[in-house]
Amino acid sequence: MNFQSILSNTRLMVLMVAFLIVAGLSALNTLPRAEDPIITNRNASITTVFPGASASRVESLVTEVIENKLREIDEVSLITSTSRMGISSVRVELKESITQPEPIWSRIRDKLSDVESHLPDDALAPEFDSDRAYAFTMLAGLSWQGEGEPDLLTLGRYSKELATRLRTLSGTEFVDEYGAPDEEVLVDLDINKAVSLGVSAQRLANMLEGADAKNSAGELVNNNSRFALELTSNLDSIERIRNVPVMVDESGHTVRIGDIATVSRAAKSPYDEMALLDGKPAIMVGARMNSELRVDRWTPAAERVLKTFSQELPSEVAVKTVFSQQGYTETRLTELSESLLIGLSLVLIVLLFTLGIRAALIIALALPLTMLMTLTLMRFLGVPINQMSVTGFIVALGIMVDNAVVMVDTIQSYRLKGKAKLESAVLAIQHLWIPLLGSTLTTVLAFAPIFLMPGPTGEFVGAIALTVSFSLIGSYLISHSVIAALSSFALPSKQSSQSWYQTGLSVKWMSRGFASTVGWAIKHPVLAMMLAMVLPVTGYWSMSQLTEQFFPPSDRDMFEVQVYLPPQSSIYATKRTAEHINTLIAEEEGIEQVQWMVGASFPSFYYNMVGGQQKAPYFAQAMVKTDNFKTANDLIPRLQTKLDQAVPQAQILVRKLEQGPPFSAPVELRIYGRNMETLKEIGKDIRLILSQIPHVTHTKESLTPGIPQLG
């Protein structure tokens, strides 16, 4: 390779720099941008309603049937289930090696379709949910502003319209509604009129069922053909239900349902779930953008949809943004960018005093060029911009200048010795390309286990290692091309200048001390190695004295509150408890908002939140937002103690938001066995032992007692 001809080709170097600038800025403009990395969803839930069945019947007739069918899929790693009165909840976890779960989810849906015929006739079709694993990009709440009791049915209709508009927004991946009541038609029978006519409630129900033409009414057959016969009139309106005939009296008058009953639309009672917005009943709509988009472009479009929608609402209904990921994304990326600029400034200041102003400026040029090349490689491999990838830039900041520093310093030393411009660059490249290649590859290989790590942990932190590796590769290539060419022409020669700002600051006593130290180490290698090992050995010992935690807590100004009441609690009792807790939380300073979901998990507002509570009337979960994350961290332990003392009838967990893959609890124990009573006793003993360990706040068992039954 003729290095001299390449380095002297100014047009080639300018073209290379232009290409890096265009490709890097294009990647910066088009790369997906979000607050946190997307972890492949390997968890799903299956909910099956079996009205009126006891927990034991649900377990034997529904849960076990579904579990046995799911075990036919090899990719399933873990199946857990909970059987309550009338509800079967099965959670599925795929193996960590699965990176494309959609084909597996499709097979599970097929299995659930096959299993429907084996379930009891009264059981509803299983509901499969694998869409709620990621955090919503935006949560909007609709609340009632009119007088009197909130009209949740009206709010529900407007929430469906808002959900439809958000679904049609370009880039929207998933939209769901929370707290919307199911609507039903209520037939309120007048007992006096019914008794006088001899009509019972059961007879009325049978008539309504017969009048609802959902099935074929038979066939018409002649000598040549046959035709299916269906009734065109079905129960598609309240007026149609009112006109269903009940009987014909003695005078020949037809008695209809509207004559002996009041027919109206009403919310299903009891509610399956409720949403509380600022302490009042409301409905929330969650929307999630496609992971390949930029949150700072999708969110303004979604906000315009909300603004247009709010202008069309009546005065009794209001809509507001409950949560938006864009602000947190901008704050996190801004803070990381500021750290990046601070690190860059420190590097340049050090280089200014050690190598001089020209060398510092050349190396300063190497940093943005390396970052632009890294962005280009990120775009090529689909690595998005988030807190992990930007953290990788910060980690690589001190490393990515090493190649440029060594190259510039070597070329400058040749120039100060009187070598020609191109000759200095060629000699430096010939001397350094193998050593620098070795140091670059060893560092890349040191980070390789991180981005090669399987499972959710590798997906979360892998962007750090990839960004560092891309930066090192880019630094090596740029230092041996653009930086070498620029250094050969811009660095001063021995005759041009000896000023410190040209060649760097040189302290004679430090240089003599360093030279004598190196000489002593060469003469006494064993002692030198022993002294060199003092620092790392001390570091390893110090590491054993530190608190071990793989992922640090999040610095969000938010936290969650989970409330568990006894299993027999109704959703209305849970709602009253949530309102009481809401009042206690609002008494604390620094609280900006508290929003609740009763009977189900709160819509995911953080990337690793574990939900899974559906149709659980004894459960409630809150999203609490404070004025800053320090307030949240100080408030969590104090609020935990306060709520435990003030609400003893409920188990309350005040949890900070953690980094890393999702988990239900820091320590989880599973006990296997066939005898339920034995498992309960063992579980109680383990909980008692754990509760006596310092710093254990709460213990919870998944095998909860049943609810009272009336015989």
Side-chain angles (χ1 to χ4, degrees), residues 34 81 83 118 131 233 282 448 513 615 674:
S81 63
S83 298
H118 300 284
D131 294 321
S233 178
K615 296 181 173 60
R674 296 182 178 275

Side-chain angles (χ1 to χ4, degrees), residues 631-685:
T631 302
N633 290 338
D634 295 339
L635 185 60
I636 288 172
R638 186 169 71 251
L639 195 60
Q640 180 71 71
T641 303
K642 176 181 178 180
L643 296 180
D644 287 342
Q645 296 174 352
V647 192
Q649 72 273 19
Q651 185 181 42
I652 303 173
L653 303 178
V654 184
R655 298 184 57 178
K656 64 174 59 178
L657 303 178
E658 303 281 353
Q659 297 277 18
F663 62 92
S664 299
V667 177
E668 298 182 38
L669 302 175
R670 291 190 178 95
I671 309 171
Y672 298 91
R674 296 182 178 275
N675 190 299
M676 301 291 287
E677 296 300 324
T678 303
L679 291 177
K680 288 182 181 179
E681 293 300 324
I682 295 175
K684 291 180 181 178
D685 293 340

Side-chain angles (χ1 to χ4, degrees), residues 46 65-74 76 79 90-92 107-109 111-112 128:
I46 302 164
V65 176
I66 294 176
E67 286 182 340
N68 292 334
K69 201 68 176 178
L70 294 177
R71 290 191 179 96
E72 298 176 2
I73 300 178
D74 295 334
V76 173
I79 300 175
V90 180
R91 292 187 63 83
V92 180
R107 288 168 55 192
I108 290 179
R109 291 186 181 94
K111 295 291 184 182
L112 294 177
F128 179 79

Side-chain angles (χ1 to χ4, degrees), residues 336-354 360-361 363-365 367-368 371 393-394 397-398 400-401:
L336 292 173
S337 300
E338 290 175 354
S339 300
L340 192 64
L341 292 175
I342 292 173
L344 175 61
S345 302
L346 293 176
V347 170
L348 293 180
I349 292 173
V350 172
L351 293 175
L352 175 63
F353 286 98
T354 56
L361 292 176
I363 297 173
L365 178 63
L367 285 173
M371 291 180 182
F393 274 116
I394 298 175
L397 184 62
M400 71 172 66
V401 297

Side-chain angles (χ1 to χ4, degrees), residues 308-323:
T308 303
F309 180 74
S310 64
Q311 294 173 350
E312 302 174 4
L313 293 174
S315 58
E316 293 84 0
V317 180
V319 60
K320 75 171 187 177
T321 301
V322 176
F323 166 77

Side-chain angles (χ1 to χ4, degrees), residues 109-329:
R109 291 186 181 94
D110 294 339
K111 295 291 184 182
L112 294 177
S113 299
D114 297 338
V115 86
E116 284 188 36
S117 60
H118 300 284
L119 300 180
D121 294 337
D122 295 337
L124 303 183
E127 298 179 5
F128 179 79
D129 183 12
S130 62
D131 294 321
R132 292 181 175 86
Y134 306 136
F136 284 105
T137 312
M138 173 182 288
L139 292 174
L142 289 91
S143 57
W144 184 258
Q145 304 296 316
E147 298 179 356
E149 290 295 321
D151 188 348
L152 290 181
L153 291 182
T154 300
L155 290 179
R157 297 187 186 100
Y158 282 112
S159 69
K160 293 183 184 300
E161 173 63 23
L162 176 59
T164 300
R165 297 192 184 188
L166 289 174
R167 287 189 184 97
T168 58
L169 177 64
S170 177
T172 301
E173 181 183 36
F174 178 71
V175 179
D176 202 5
E177 303 162 50
Y178 292 83
D182 293 330
E183 192 171 338
E184 63 183 7
V185 175
L186 180 64
V187 180
D188 189 5
L189 185 63
D190 189 322
I191 301 298
N192 295 328
K193 293 181 180 179
V195 170
S196 64
L197 295 174
V199 179
S200 65
Q202 183 61 46
R203 179 181 175 185
L204 192 64
N206 293 336
M207 291 178 178
L208 285 172
E209 183 178 1
D212 193 9
K214 294 179 179 178
N215 301 316
S216 173
E219 291 183 342
L220 293 178
V221 181
N222 58 24
N223 293 332
N224 298 316
S225 305
R226 63 190 182 94
F227 303 90
L229 180 64
E230 291 186 359
L231 300 178
T232 58
S233 178
N234 55 9
L235 301 182
D236 56 359
S237 66
I238 291 181
E239 190 62 31
R240 176 69 183 87
I241 296 174
R242 291 194 183 105
N243 291 328
V244 171
V246 177
M247 62 178 296
V248 179
D249 60 15
E250 297 177 353
S251 61
H253 176 70
T254 301
V255 179
R256 305 181 185 276
I257 286 182
D259 299 328
I260 61 174
T262 301
V263 183
S264 60
R265 295 185 183 274
K268 177 186 174 183
S269 181
Y271 295 108
D272 287 334
E273 59 184 39
M274 296 179 181
L276 299 179
L277 187 63
D278 298 326
K280 299 180 180 179
I283 295 176
M284 282 186 280
V285 178
R288 185 175 68 230
M289 72 170 188
N290 192 296
S291 60
E292 297 181 355
L293 298 180
R294 291 177 50 159
V295 67
D296 56 338
R297 293 183 178 177
W298 182 89
T299 301
E303 290 176 345
R304 288 193 292 270
V305 171
L306 284 181
K307 183 178 180 180
T308 303
F309 180 74
S310 64
Q311 294 173 350
E312 302 174 4
L313 293 174
S315 58
E316 293 84 0
V317 180
V319 60
K320 75 171 187 177
T321 301
V322 176
F323 166 77
S324 177
Q325 192 185 100
Q326 182 185 4
Y328 293 100
T329 303

Side-chain angles (χ1 to χ4, degrees), residues 394-422:
I394 298 175
V395 172
L397 184 62
I399 307 175
M400 71 172 66
V401 297
D402 288 349
N403 290 326
V405 168
V406 174
M407 181 62 67
V408 171
D409 185 52
T410 304
I411 294 176
Q412 181 165 279
S413 65
Y414 281 127
R415 293 286 291 134
L416 294 176
K417 292 178 181 178
K419 299 291 184 182
K421 295 181 178 180
L422 290 178

